[in-house]
Amino acid sequence: DFLGEQKVKNIERPIRVYAVKMSDNVTYSKMGKKPKPPAKPSIAVLPFVNMSGDLEQEYLVDGMTEDIIAALARFNELFVIARNSTFTYKGKAVKVQEVAEDLGVRYILEGSVQRAGARVRITAQLIRTDDGTHLWSEQFDRTLDDIFAIQDEISMAIVDHLKVTLMSREKSAILRRHTDDFELYDLYLKASHYIKLTTPAAIEKAVDYIEQVLRR
């Protein structure tokens, strides 16, 4: 039922307010139930850990994690937990089994990133949550220009170990990049990082980085 426009604290304009009428035969779902893993392979990519000892590198580590999530989400045979859910564990010491129970997944990908000048060391490990078995682990020690190839290799390794049938169009989508220019990618990640902070000062920085992206 529409209740008219109401003045609300800290909002300049009046907002439209509604009341929800519930009938007697409405059923309610029980809150607090843990989700069950779906039939197809399900995975959560936990935020990679920044091992650089430099908080300024958080944008790169988070950006890499988000790109791996986005790449895996393109596979129809995979059930991938969204970034908004997995990033709630960022900076926390968590047990794989607890995360799996909370999110309803059978597999967890975790890792770390360490940047030193023009080089980067990335570790990643795929864990089966029912018994804690490490299905795959790898350490990549390369230049920053290889960061796109590393992301591809991680995504393809996961697909291979989870026995996912790969359609040619899906593989093409994984390997398709908008740029091979790391400096351009780096500017984009910085802009994305500051946009998420939402403060006026952060937005100004984001706009500056976006303008640099467009110029480049």
Side-chain angles (χ1 to χ4, degrees), residues 118-172:
R119 297 197 66 82
V120 63
R121 175 175 293 171
I122 299 171
T123 61
Q125 50 191 14
L126 179 65
I127 304 168
R128 190 169 61 200
T129 61
D130 57 356
D131 57 6
T133 302
H134 284 63
L135 297 179
W136 169 82
S137 63
E138 190 68 66
Q139 178 174 290
F140 306 87
D141 195 350
R142 303 186 192 171
T143 65
L144 286 169
D145 290 334
D146 286 334
I147 204 165
F148 305 108
I150 295 171
Q151 290 175 348
D152 290 345
E153 288 180 40
I154 292 173
S155 300
M156 299 304 289
I158 292 169
V159 168
D160 181 55
H161 281 79
L162 298 190
K163 310 300 181 186
V164 172
T165 303
L166 193 61
M167 305 293 287
S168 58
R169 58 182 173 77
E170 291 177 324
K171 184 175 182 179
S172 298

Side-chain angles (χ1 to χ4, degrees), residues 3-137:
L3 301 181
E5 294 187 341
Q6 306 288 330
K7 185 70 176 174
V8 181
K9 184 179 179 181
N10 294 330
I11 298 180
E12 190 173 323
R13 296 179 180 177
I15 64 169
R16 297 170 65 86
V17 178
Y18 297 82
V20 179
K21 281 188 172 181
M22 308 296 282
S23 63
D24 293 335
N25 61 353
V26 169
T27 58
Y28 300 90
S29 60
K30 185 178 179 181
M31 299 300 290
K33 263 183 115 175
K34 301 293 185 181
K36 290 183 179 180
K40 58 185 179 180
S42 50
I43 184 170
V45 180
L46 294 182
F48 278 31
V49 178
N50 177 14
M51 301 294 288
S52 304
D54 180 6
L55 291 177
E56 291 295 319
Q57 299 302 319
E58 287 290 330
Y59 77 91
L60 175 64
V61 180
D62 290 351
M64 280 199 58
T65 306
E66 291 172 8
D67 282 350
I68 292 172
I69 293 172
L72 294 175
R74 295 191 182 107
F75 292 105
N76 290 329
E77 288 192 30
L78 277 180
F79 179 85
V80 183
I81 299 296
R83 172 206 184 277
N84 289 348
S85 296
T86 58
F87 267 70
T88 60
Y89 299 97
K90 181 176 172 63
K92 299 178 182 177
V94 295
K95 294 182 179 179
V96 168
Q97 285 80 3
E98 291 178 359
V99 175
E101 187 178 352
D102 289 342
L103 300 179
V105 293
R106 290 190 173 92
Y107 303 95
I108 295 284
L109 178 72
E110 60 181 16
S112 63
V113 180
Q114 183 174 6
R115 179 178 179 178
R119 297 197 66 82
V120 63
R121 175 175 293 171
I122 299 171
T123 61
Q125 50 191 14
L126 179 65
I127 304 168
R128 190 169 61 200
T129 61
D130 57 356
D131 57 6
T133 302
H134 284 63
L135 297 179
W136 169 82
S137 63

